[in-house]
Amino acid sequence: MKPINIKKKYSKFDKQWHPHQIATVDDMQVLLAKISGSFVWHSHKDEDELFYVQKGVLEMRFRESGNPENVWSEIVNQGEIIVVPKGVEHCPTTKDGEEVHLLLFEKTSTAHTGEVSHEKTQTSYPKI
């Protein structure tokens, strides 16, 4: 039961799109991630995800299930959160190569890229 210094935790890793676990709360996990560029389109059938932007600006893209032409996005600024409801297809993105720091809150059962297998997919998260 000690405080967690999030800035110090970010200094422990450089790899992008590879979340690191800093805590668990019941069946939820608290993750830190550094991202740049665009991720992979995916959804989580049974889990919501919370994204808190610690540094930078996140563009969260969404698309309508069954209609991949219908794409829209929300800008999430530093200090803001966005919750992606279960089943909603999304693609986190950053602008112009900017590195964004995220704090994620999700169930421990949440697969990194849902049912999508991709080179960026991670199957385990280091604990730091």
Side-chain angles (χ1 to χ4, degrees), residues 8 31 36 43 59 70 99 107-108 116 119 128:
K8 285 184 181 177
L31 304 167
S36 182
S43 65
E59 178 183 0
N70 188 8
E99 183 174 82
K107 288 184 178 178
T108 55
V116 174
E119 64 186 26
I128 56 172

Side-chain angles (χ1 to χ4, degrees), residues 69-109:
E69 304 301 317
N70 188 8
V71 176
W72 69 97
S73 63
E74 294 291 339
I75 300 300
V76 189
N77 294 297
Q78 185 170 312
E80 295 181 333
I81 68 168
I82 190 165
V83 175
V84 179
K86 63 183 115 240
V88 174
E89 195 170 16
H90 57 288
C91 181
T93 305
T94 70
K95 299 252 184 199
D96 303 323
E98 175 186 24
E99 183 174 82
V100 173
H101 293 186
L102 300 174
L103 182 144
L104 304 157
F105 193 67
E106 62 189 26
K107 288 184 178 178
T108 55
S109 61

Side-chain angles (χ1 to χ4, degrees), residues 6 8 10 13-14 20-21 24 33-34 36-37 51 54 58 65 71 78 86 89 91 101 117 119 128:
I6 293 174
K8 285 184 181 177
Y10 278 114
F13 67 97
D14 291 315
H20 288 67
Q21 186 185 86
T24 57
K34 294 178 179 180
S36 182
F51 293 76
Q54 292 267 305
L58 174 70
S65 198
V71 176
Q78 185 170 312
K86 63 183 115 240
E89 195 170 16
C91 181
H101 293 186
S117 180
E119 64 186 26
I128 56 172

Side-chain angles (χ1 to χ4, degrees), residues 13 15 17-21 31-33 104 112 122 124-126:
F13 67 97
K15 192 170 183 183
W17 302 107
H18 192 236
H20 288 67
Q21 186 185 86
L31 304 167
L32 297 182
L104 304 157
H112 191 223
Q122 302 300 316
S124 65
Y125 304 134

